Amino acid sequence: MTRYLPIMLDCEGQLVVVIGGGAVAERKVSGLLEAGAVVKVISPSLTDTLVALTTKGLMTWHDRAYAPGDLRGAFLVYAATNDRTVNEEIAQESRRIGIPVNVASHAEAGNFITPGVIRRGRLTVAVSTSGAGPLAAARIKTVLEEALDAAYEPYLDFVHTMRTRIKERESSAEVRGRLLRKLGAIDVLNEMRNGSFIGWSAEDMDAWIASHRAE
C-alpha cells in the first residue's frame, strides 16, 4: 500500500494542466477552480459543464489530443483521458520534467492523488482510502459531512477573529497562550448549533480578554 503524505497546496494563480474532457476531468477542474488555479484543459471534446466554464472564461480549452510538450510551465498535471496508454505517456513526461502528476485511470502511475473533500468555510477535511475504492471513501465522507455540520463555518470564523484579536492585544507569548487555551474551552459551537449564540462585539471580545488574562 502506498502511504501518501497529506498536504494542502496553495494553487492560487498557478497553472494546472488537465488532459481529458470527460466526467473525471470535470470533477478535477471543479476542485481546481475552487482552489483558485489557472486551468488549461487539453482534449478534443468536453462535457457540457466544461464547455460552459470555457464560455465563461473560467478555464482555457485546447481542442486537440495531448502532445509531448503540453506540460511545460505547469504547477500540477492531471492525466484524465479514457485511454490508459495516453495517461501513462503523460505521467512519464511529467515525471521526466519534475511536475507532480495525478493519473485517473491508475493512481500508481502518478505521484499524488486527490482525496474527497469536505469544506465548511475555513475547515477543509480530506478523505482518502489509499486505493480501497471510491465507494468506501464516499461512505466515509458522508459520515463526516453529517458530523461536521454547518455550524463549524461560523464557529471557526469566531475562533479566527478572537485569535487575531488576542494576538493584537497581547504582547506576552505566555498570556496569549493562556488566552488561546481558554478560548478553546468556550462552548460556542453547541451554542451556534442550538441557535443560542449571540455574536460578540469588539467590546465583548476585549472584555473577555481582559477578564481571562490571569491564571
Side-chain angles (χ1 to χ4, degrees):
M1 180 183 70
T2 302
R3 297 189 181 276
Y4 293 96
L5 174 68
I7 61 173
M8 300 289 184
L9 281 177
D10 180 4
C11 293
E12 185 74 34
Q14 298 284 358
L15 173 63
V16 178
V17 177
V18 178
I19 314 293
V24 173
E26 183 181 306
R27 291 195 297 272
K28 306 296 186 185
V29 169
S30 175
L32 289 166
L33 291 177
E34 189 175 10
V38 176
V39 179
K40 178 171 73 174
V41 174
I42 300 173
S43 175
S45 62
L46 295 180
T47 65
D48 291 342
T49 297
L50 290 176
V51 169
L53 291 174
T54 303
T55 301
K56 293 176 183 177
L58 298 177
M59 55 168 255
T60 58
W61 174 34
H62 294 248
D63 183 5
R64 58 176 175 77
Y66 157 77
D70 281 340
L71 313 182
R72 294 194 189 99
F75 179 65
L76 297 174
V77 171
Y78 287 81
T81 77
N82 58 5
D83 188 322
R84 185 184 178 99
T85 300
V86 172
N87 287 345
E88 185 68 42
E89 292 174 2
I90 296 166
Q92 289 175 359
E93 181 181 357
S94 297
R95 288 179 177 279
R96 187 169 61 252
I97 59 181
I99 302 172
V101 59
N102 170 270
V103 179
S105 56
H106 49 306
E108 65 276 10
N111 49 21
F112 78 93
I113 58 175
T114 49
V117 175
I118 301 165
R119 296 188 189 276
R120 298 287 186 266
R122 296 178 182 276
L123 176 65
T124 302
V125 177
V127 179
S128 170
T129 59
S130 295
L135 182 58
R139 287 176 175 169
I140 294 168
K141 182 180 174 183
T142 297
V143 171
L144 291 174
E145 285 174 331
E146 292 174 356
L148 301 171
D149 56 42
Y152 276 88
E153 183 167 350
Y155 168 68
L156 290 176
D157 284 340
F158 168 81
V159 171
H160 178 266
T161 300
M162 280 295 296
R163 183 181 178 87
T164 300
R165 201 161 190 86
I166 288 168
K167 289 183 174 181
E168 290 172 349
R169 293 293 186 272
E170 294 298 332
S171 59
S172 166
E174 181 182 350
V175 174
R176 286 198 306 270
R178 182 161 59 245
L179 287 168
L180 291 172
R181 286 191 295 274
K182 291 182 178 182
L183 174 63
I186 301 176
D187 194 19
V188 172
L189 179 59
N190 282 325
E191 290 181 9
M192 289 179 172
R193 281 174 171 157
N194 61 35
S196 63
F197 177 73
I198 299 173
W200 290 18
S201 66
E203 291 75 17
D204 293 331
M205 295 179 190
D206 289 342
W208 184 90
I209 292 171
S211 65
H212 289 82
R213 282 193 177 101
E215 288 285 2

